Amino acid sequence: MRIIERTPIAAGDPVDSTALAKHMRVETSETTDALRFARAAADEIERYADIALLDQTITALADPLIGKVLQLPVGPVALGASVTVELIEQDGTATPVNDGWFLVAGPRPQLFFDNTPGGPIRVTYTAGFGADDTTIPDDLALAIMDQALKLYDLRGDVDAAPTLAPSTARIAARYRRVRI
């Protein structure tokens, strides 16, 4: 399943600006600049771990299913989250699939189908920990701040390896889906 689009729903920042300023040891007046690094760090973590930190609408396309289970590409998905499933016809039109499936929410969400749909499907759903920085788990907030600090310290360094900070990689790995 490939992600077609991520559309932010939440408009806030991924971390508290005061905590970020303390973590990065910058003056409060420099917080606006520091938040740009935090947003970039959050984006790196989301891509690395296939998660949504703040609420987002995810639109994904799946080839015709072989089985009756579809792993959704981005989590977490809350119980009762909005999910739309559409069958993509050969002429490119979309037909809603309103029944014959159910969602198992959680950090690694899945759709279970009663019958295998007869073609590619598009799934649109809401993923994320919540609407603001207070809903993001503390360890991920720390990972965002550590990665923001690395990006800030190495800004302009063209020789530095484009990797996650070691602490960020350890934390984000706990949320990453294992693929075979």
Side-chain angles (χ1 to χ4, degrees):
M1 182 165 226
R2 63 191 159 110
I3 300 168
I4 299 171
E5 186 174 28
R6 285 179 179 244
T7 306
I9 297 172
D13 291 310
V15 291
D16 176 68
S17 60
T18 304
L20 179 65
K22 285 181 184 178
H23 190 80
M24 293 179 67
R25 296 184 201 108
V26 297
E27 297 296 323
T28 308
S29 61
E30 299 173 295
T31 303
T32 302
D33 289 335
L35 280 169
R36 288 194 327 228
F37 291 96
R39 287 189 288 271
D43 187 52
E44 287 186 56
I45 292 167
E46 285 181 337
R47 307 295 177 190
Y48 175 80
D50 291 328
I51 59 174
L53 295 167
L54 296 174
D55 286 345
Q56 301 172 18
T57 299
I58 307 297
T59 303
L61 187 66
D63 293 328
L65 300 180
I66 296 170
K68 295 182 181 180
V69 180
L70 178 64
Q71 303 274 340
L72 296 181
V74 176
V77 173
L79 198 59
S82 170
V83 179
T84 303
V85 178
E86 299 170 300
L87 178 64
I88 307 299
E89 305 292 347
Q90 288 183 347
D91 64 0
T93 61
T95 303
V97 179
N98 296 321
D99 53 13
W101 59 269
F102 65 93
L103 170 71
V104 174
R108 292 169 186 83
Q110 298 176 316
L111 287 179
F112 286 83
F113 290 87
D114 294 340
N115 297 306
T116 304
I121 60 171
R122 180 174 45 228
V123 181
T124 305
Y125 64 99
T126 302
F129 289 101
D132 59 41
D133 64 278
T134 62
T135 61
I136 295 174
D138 289 342
D139 59 342
L140 282 171
L142 180 61
I144 294 167
M145 291 189 288
D146 281 350
Q147 185 65 16
L149 179 60
K150 179 184 178 191
L151 294 172
Y152 183 79
D153 284 347
L154 297 177
R155 64 193 182 278
D157 187 351
V158 296
D159 296 327
T163 60
L164 292 176
S167 58
T168 300
R170 273 192 317 274
I171 293 168
R174 288 182 256 186
Y175 292 87
R176 193 172 189 185
R177 183 177 302 190
V178 177
R179 301 203 195 279
I180 297 176

